[in-house]
């Protein structure tokens, strides 16, 4: 059974840093591209970042470029999102998602972890 | 980040059919497959349709998807109370080099 479990969320002040983790099981992690998607309270889904299966290629939404870094540890089956210079508008639930085969979008999602940025 | 456009809400009585549209552009839906997700209240999104019209195992055949040009649609036939949820479309955007999601549609069973 495919499982993705996020952790690391919390409450912090603007300008702070946080690292999210996504531990996966049930599939060969090193074969799949992975994503982070966020959802502000009461709002829709917004894609944040993607990383290729080897960890050598990444892409980011304009809103987080230069502040967030996606990376992975294939030996530990874990995906990460390092978030720096956090802003109140970064508040929301962060989901990790497994990319589908070929050009298919995300097929499996974690349960999410809540990040709240507030003074 | 640009988004795919969906109607904010849709509603119908039990047993009826509801259709949700998803409008994009030539850089996303026009050239890439579309996925649809169902998000029940307080839960994570769940894959409902992949590759524009395919259902994962376990998804009832009441759910169907299609794509034409730069638009896609999701149809729910034989609507049931458990179908009350938010529905999102998504596709890769070659211009943005990232995924774009639909604005979301809240389905209400009257």
């Amino acid at each position: 059974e495919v499982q993705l479990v996020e952790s690391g969320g919390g409450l912090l002040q603007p300008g702070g840093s946080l690292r999210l983790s996504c531990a996966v099981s049930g599939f060969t992690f090193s074969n799949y591209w992975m994503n982070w998607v966020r959802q502000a309270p009461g709002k829709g889904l917004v894609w944040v970042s993607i990383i290729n299966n080897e960890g050598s290629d990444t892409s980011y939404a304009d809103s987080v470029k230069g502040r967030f870094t996606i990376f992975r540890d294939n030996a530990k089956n874990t995906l990460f999102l390092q978030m720096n210079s956090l802003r109140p508008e970064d508040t929301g639930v962060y989901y990790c998602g497994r990319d589908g085969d070929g050009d298919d979008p995300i097929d499996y999602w974690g349960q999410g972890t809540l990040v709240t940025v507030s003074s | 980040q640009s988004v795919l456009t969906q109607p904010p809400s849709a509603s119908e009585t039990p047993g009826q059919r509801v259709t949700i549209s998803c409008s994009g552009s030539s850089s996303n839906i026009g050239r890439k497959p579309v996925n649809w997700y169902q998000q029940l209240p307080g839960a994570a999104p769940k894959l409902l349709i992949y590759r524009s019209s395919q259902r994962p195992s376990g998804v009832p055949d009441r759910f169907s998807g299609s794509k034409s040009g730069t638009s896609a649609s999701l149809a729910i036939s034989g609507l049931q109370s458990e179908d009350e949820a938010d529905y999102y479309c998504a596709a890769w955007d070659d211009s943005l080099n990232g995924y774009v999601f639909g604005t979301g549609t809240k389905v209400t069973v009257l």
Side-chain angles (χ1 to χ4, degrees):
Chain A
E1 180 191 7
V2 171
Q3 287 196 322
L4 299 86
V5 180
E6 301 93 335
S7 61
L11 170 64
L12 63 163
Q13 294 187 337
S17 296
L18 201 61
R19 178 177 294 181
L20 305 183
S21 300
C22 171
V24 313
S25 60
F27 64 98
T28 304
F29 181 60
S30 58
N31 287 350
Y32 286 86
W33 293 44
M34 296 293 296
N35 297 268
W36 287 99
V37 175
R38 69 185 180 187
Q39 186 170 35
K43 302 297 185 182
L45 301 170
V46 177
W47 174 79
V48 172
S49 182
I50 190 170
I51 186 168
N52 72 344
N53 60 309
E54 297 173 341
S56 58
D57 190 17
T58 60
S59 182
Y60 299 90
D62 287 343
S63 58
V64 306
K65 206 171 291 184
R67 300 188 299 123
F68 290 11
T69 302
I70 187 173
F71 61 103
R72 62 193 295 163
D73 185 336
N74 283 348
K76 296 184 177 180
N77 290 340
T78 305
L79 174 72
F80 300 95
L81 184 68
Q82 177 66 43
M83 304 187 296
N84 298 331
S85 303
L86 281 160
R87 305 166 180 168
E89 56 265 35
D90 294 319
T91 293
V93 175
Y94 283 71
Y95 297 101
C96 62
R98 189 186 83 167
D99 227 37
D101 293 330
D103 283 344
D104 292 339
I106 296 166
D107 57 3
Y108 285 94
W109 300 72
Q111 87 288 349
T113 187
L114 177 62
V115 173
T116 304
V117 184
S118 174
S119 54
Chain B
Q1 210 83 3
S2 68
V3 296
L4 306 177
T5 302
Q6 299 178 230
S9 63
S11 60
E12 207 22 286
T13 53
Q16 297 303 303
R17 175 185 172 97
V18 66
T19 301
I20 301 168
S21 61
C22 173
S23 178
S25 69
S26 59
S27 62
N28 44 65
I29 293 178
R31 65 177 70 175
K32 296 294 184 182
V34 177
N35 278 14
W36 287 92
Y37 305 98
Q38 177 192 60
Q39 188 175 33
L40 296 170
K46 169 195 162 186
L47 179 64
L48 204 58
I49 296 288
Y50 68 99
R51 215 163 290 167
S52 306
S53 61
Q54 305 300 304
R55 278 188 312 276
S57 60
V59 173
D61 59 6
R62 304 185 291 104
F63 295 91
S64 61
S66 63
K67 187 179 91 164
S68 178
T70 59
S71 293
S73 63
L74 172 72
I76 311 173
S77 59
L79 199 62
Q80 299 180 5
S81 58
E82 67 223 47
D83 299 332
E84 279 206 343
D86 293 323
Y87 293 84
Y88 295 91
C89 55
W92 183 262
D93 190 297
D94 277 342
S95 296
L96 297 174
N97 199 33
Y99 283 115
V100 286
F101 282 89
T103 46
T105 299
K106 183 176 183 62
V107 169
T108 301
V109 182
L110 300 172

